[in-house]
Amino acid sequence: MSLDRWERQAQKGRDILNNSIPKQWLLPESQLALATTKNVIDFPEQSGLLSELEMLITELSATELVAEMGKGKLTAEEVVVAFLKRAVLGQQLLNFATEFLADEAIARAQELDKHYKQTGQLVGPLHGVPISVKEHIGFKNKTCNTGYVAYIDKVATEDAHLLRLLANAGAVFHVRTNQPQSLMHLCCSNNITGTTLNPHNRTLTPGGSSGGEGASMGFKCAPLGIGTDIGGSIRCPAAFCGGYGFRPTAMRNPMAGIQVACIGQETIHGVVGPMAGSSIEDLELFQKAVLDQEPWDDETSLMPVPWKTVTPTRDVTIAIMWDDGYVRPHPPVTRALRLAKEKLLAAGIKVVDWEPYEHQRGWDIISTLYYPDGAALQRQMLRESGEPARPLTEWAFSYAHPTPLTHAEAWTLQYERDLYRDEYHALLKSRGVDFIISPAYPAAAAVMGESHYWNYTAIWNMTDMPCAVFPSGLTVDPTLDALTEQDKKYVPRNEVDEREWNKYQGPWRYEGAPIALQIAGRHFKDEETLAAAKLVEEIIKDGKKSSKL
Amino acid sequence: MSLDRWERQAQKGRDILNNSIPKQWLLPESQLALATTKNVIDFPEQSGLLSELEMLITELSATELVAEMGKGKLTAEEVVVAFLKRAVLGQQLLNFATEFLADEAIARAQELDKHYKQTGQLVGPLHGVPISVKEHIGFKNKTCNTGYVAYIDKVATEDAHLLRLLANAGAVFHVRTNQPQSLMHLCCSNNITGTTLNPHNRTLTPGGSSGGEGASMGFKCAPLGIGTDIGGSIRCPAAFCGGYGFRPTAMRNPMAGIQVACIGQETIHGVVGPMAGSSIEDLELFQKAVLDQEPWDDETSLMPVPWKTVTPTRDVTIAIMWDDGYVRPHPPVTRALRLAKEKLLAAGIKVVDWEPYEHQRGWDIISTLYYPDGAALQRQMLRESGEPARPLTEWAFSYAHPTPLTHAEAWTLQYERDLYRDEYHALLKSRGVDFIISPAYPAAAAVMGESHYWNYTAIWNMTDMPCAVFPSGLTVDPTLDALTEQDKKYVPRNEVDEREWNKYQGPWRYEGAPIALQIAGRHFKDEETLAAAKLVEEIIKDGKKSSKL
């Protein structure tokens, strides 16, 4: 049987991955969790692959790791080896990677250790922090397929700007991670390296499009990761996998060297941002390390806005958005919002309800602007290789206008996009609301292949509001989240609402899924949003910091 | 003979203008300068229309006027009446206006005076400053034709954001000014209110597209004006008319409510900025008054970058660009550059020559991006009314690709635009150059209908560098600027060079034209660029401040 050309090309991508896996840390099949085991979150401990110290290292936050390395208590090499081992295990269980960078990462860690030994100083604020990197962020001399078989031979000529800045700050890149075909699923499957699974329940998707990163954060294959987000692609996988993610205001973080099929497209600005396994503090660490290097002085599309240090304040008004007026969240998600409201009120924070502002209008604009060319370029990418479209790729393309918009039509929509953003901003001010807590998705996570509804995250792309996602500390509970009699009587408001509501059926479909919260701040208030997220998380979790130190 | 429908529509525009002219200040034809008089700069003095005090008022800068009003030595009403009288004369000689706002302006000035009388305070940093406004900047309940007959009945539903901010700061709007058909000529003629003339020589154009503003500044119909610029439209008329103009970095000044046919187009960002009749200080006054109001908190497309107060420093490197490598400037322009170099060197400033960086490549990108739709929307505007295209409208449309670009083609060009800007910025840094002084145009001014070459200004739109234009103090000189034997032997490098060089023939064609200089600073360094412009002007003019106080 001969393979189609696209299959031979796709095999190249799998070869890159397979050849890169450090074989010495592979567990024999027989020692792995059974394929039927859904939740593998505790498997690193059970596996015996990692030493006690390595287990401890991989449970620390980036901030804690840097502090320990600064005191000389850990070496960068120990740290990266620990995360590499955990990542190899993660790969065996979750298929989250596209390429391991073990040799380079270890060599880099050794250099950092040498520097520390010689000078007694860390090289920068991210000294020795292993960072996993979504595949379409370009690495010099490495292929960058962006989820398309057509790009399998495409080699980046230099490191993405962001990677250079992170490297300056001392970061170590040890693994590149998976993404969906076209980069436009809230799921993570492609025709090259396949489908990534959710570590909390392997029948669930880790979300997407930064789904490899989601799994990496959830399984703690790295303390920090890098995702990109044009409709929820950082926040959705952070939410589904129990991790942390931050979508900055557009044009703050450096985008140069991030590969996409439609490079130069500006109808909707994608952003790049940090994901973290264990703390909001790490998201701030990342942002500060990057923006302190004034990336706008090289990448002149960026806004020259330095990163401010902001201390959380309780003197804020936080609104809760229970429902976006179009799709009702599932019971577990509503339970987490109730917890947030209760705890915030008990802590003396001013909490109000948020009446959503024409979210459907926002969605109509943004979804059309994703593909002003009627997805012609994206379809061309599929035709070029001959690979078949994945179902969720077709789903995303279905947002496009059936024919390319004229330029004038696209300009009108761009004008309407700006108008909507201005209106939303004015509304926050007139209602006196600083932050909005909302679901990140109608469900705690999506069953594989079912991530259809984007607008709990995409709406904040539309309004270009910075937002963070963090775990509420709750997980889907078979008892607490059972459908009530009242739930069963719910009459959906429209077909989409019906489709999403009917997916719930009961907590059993989402067993073990962490329940996240999303907090959005006003346009440009990135620092304040992270500070508020930190405060809210602390309050919701009763100030219990989860550090293992 | 019956008029075509478009002519009847155009007549409406002329009626608005004619009905708005305060008749009491019109000079009888017999007392006006002869139609054959080219230079009318001194006519206000000669006309006897203005009192001695009014003459003095109209020669003061905005900064000086505010100071005098703050001391109670002038009233806002005196000030606006003086400028209105001068503007009416300007209209009779130059046809620079589209609508006078005399009653509103006087009523507003009286309010300001009342406020001052009651409180002893000015209402803001622009208290009582008359500002002329380019027509396409929307005024509530007034028509806004943007140079197209098709828009003659289009009424703005609210004041442009910028106007609201300037009004908050105390500004008085007394006259709206002319612009070319399509807004895309470096000249100023349309089928509605016709053609505006240059006050220094009425056979020359005042430049464009903010040509009415150019004439307004040159003739001192207002101390401050507002222009817009996507390829030179603030700087060219400032240069041609002996005035001052500032093109800020894009996305700093508020754009909402500025009417253009292609609203929402972002391939090249137009900007709005100040023009002034007598000082760079006034450009700063305007910028600070606007940005101190944090317009980004309402218009969320803007960058949240406050206006900094910067003191000029001599510790800078200034490069002189003698030639853009494509079109040789005329002898008077080169003479002004030589003066600048000499004076700056004598003042101990570090001066180097600037080797232009692929300006033709820059032009190829920007000129295609002006009309990614092949100028389809603009042509549609002409078809809608049936008005004929003006020759320079056809000229501008000829930049367009013959057919609309696909979205993917436009994205590629947008990517190349950003790349070019990054490269230019990197080059400034690697060469250690802070500012570039260059011509604003190959000639001191253009003979009516001949403004063809945009790239001495458009290149800085392409690189999004802030730039100011100011008069060198020189004018075209019959002796000093005669073609030398060497000039006569010049062999043009290309057809465009030949076309532009052949226009010179000799100083007689440009009699009386002021010679301007353009100074461009690094991307985002708006404040530094204005500070440097102030320093350079002072040095070139031997510190002679021209104040009449």
Side-chain angles (χ1 to χ4, degrees), chain A residues 262-266 297-298 300-304 372 405 407 411 414 417-418 421-422 425 429 523-524, chain B residues 262-266 297-298 300-304 372 405 407 411 414 417-418 421-422 425 429 523-524:
Chain A
C262 52
I263 196 141
Q265 187 261 97
E266 297 172 351
D297 197 31
D298 289 302
T300 56
S301 328
L302 304 178
M303 293 187 296
L405 301 181
H407 288 278
W411 297 337
Q414 289 178 164
R417 174 201 67 200
D418 289 2
R421 189 180 56 232
D422 284 351
H425 187 72
K429 292 199 292 179
H523 189 52
F524 296 132
Chain B
C262 53
I263 197 140
Q265 186 261 98
E266 297 171 352
D297 198 30
D298 289 302
T300 57
S301 326
L302 304 178
M303 293 188 297
L405 302 181
H407 289 276
W411 297 337
Q414 290 179 163
R417 174 201 66 199
D418 289 1
R421 188 180 58 231
D422 284 351
H425 187 73
K429 292 199 291 179
H523 188 53
F524 297 130

Side-chain angles (χ1 to χ4, degrees), chain A residues 159-432:
Chain A
D159 287 339
H161 188 192
L162 178 62
L163 295 186
R164 283 181 272 136
L165 299 180
L166 292 168
N168 290 345
V172 177
F173 307 115
H174 63 309
V175 62
R176 301 175 70 197
T177 63
N178 207 28
Q179 64 212 349
Q181 185 187 51
S182 87
L183 293 170
M184 295 289 273
H185 311 180
L186 293 183
C187 191
C188 193
S189 66
N190 60 50
N191 291 327
I192 306 165
T193 48
T195 300
T196 302
L197 312 180
N198 187 318
H200 295 272
N201 177 339
R202 294 194 288 172
T203 69
L204 302 176
T205 171
S209 67
S210 314
E213 285 303 314
S216 175
M217 296 302 106
F219 201 72
K220 297 193 179 354
C221 303
L224 267 173
I226 314 177
T228 54
D229 190 319
I230 200 169
S233 285
I234 285 173
R235 292 160 289 156
C236 161
F240 288 11
C241 295
Y244 296 76
F246 180 58
R247 188 210 93 92
T249 299
M251 313 315 290
R252 289 200 74 179
N253 282 357
M255 297 297 293
I258 297 177
Q259 307 292 321
V260 288
C262 52
I263 196 141
Q265 187 261 97
E266 297 172 351
T267 45
I268 300 294
H269 283 285
V271 302
V272 64
M275 298 176 69
S278 52
S279 84
I280 289 166
E281 211 174 17
D282 283 359
L283 304 174
E284 284 175 330
L285 176 72
F286 179 108
Q287 284 298 111
K288 185 169 161 52
V290 171
L291 291 183
D292 279 359
Q293 295 181 62
E294 306 191 349
W296 54 83
D297 197 31
D298 289 302
E299 189 176 329
T300 56
S301 328
L302 304 178
M303 293 187 296
V305 181
W307 188 260
K308 293 191 310 267
T309 299
V310 158
T311 25
T313 166
R314 286 169 180 252
D315 185 19
V316 290
T317 299
I318 297 181
I320 309 266
M321 186 174 85
W322 301 93
D323 185 306
D324 72 352
Y326 202 66
V327 167
R328 183 184 183 182
H330 291 183
V333 175
T334 303
R335 182 163 61 90
L337 291 170
R338 277 201 306 267
L339 173 75
K341 181 168 184 180
E342 252 167 52
K343 294 277 187 178
L344 289 170
L345 283 173
I349 306 279
K350 186 167 176 203
V351 181
V352 299
D353 291 334
W354 182 257
E355 190 193 329
Y357 176 68
E358 302 183 12
H359 284 212
Q360 193 53 27
R361 171 180 154 213
W363 173 249
D364 287 345
I365 298 170
I366 196 171
S367 59
T368 311
L369 283 177
Y370 284 139
Y371 300 115
D373 65 340
L377 181 64
Q378 305 278 347
R379 290 186 194 282
Q380 172 60 22
M381 295 297 298
L382 296 177
R383 273 198 304 274
E384 257 176 46
S385 66
E387 70 169 312
R390 311 281 298 199
L392 285 179
T393 303
E394 286 295 0
W395 177 256
F397 290 176
S398 76
Y399 299 154
H401 194 265
T403 52
L405 301 181
T406 65
H407 288 278
E409 286 166 342
W411 297 337
T412 300
L413 276 177
Q414 289 178 164
Y415 169 73
E416 288 177 9
R417 174 201 67 200
D418 289 2
L419 198 66
Y420 183 79
R421 189 180 56 232
D422 284 351
E423 288 172 7
Y424 219 107
H425 187 72
L427 199 63
L428 281 156
K429 292 199 292 179
S430 71
R431 291 182 183 171

Side-chain angles (χ1 to χ4, degrees), chain A residues 22-35:
Chain A
K23 305 293 177 299
Q24 67 274 28
W25 295 317
L26 281 171
L27 275 193
E29 194 85 18
S30 60
Q31 289 175 36
L32 282 175
L34 291 176

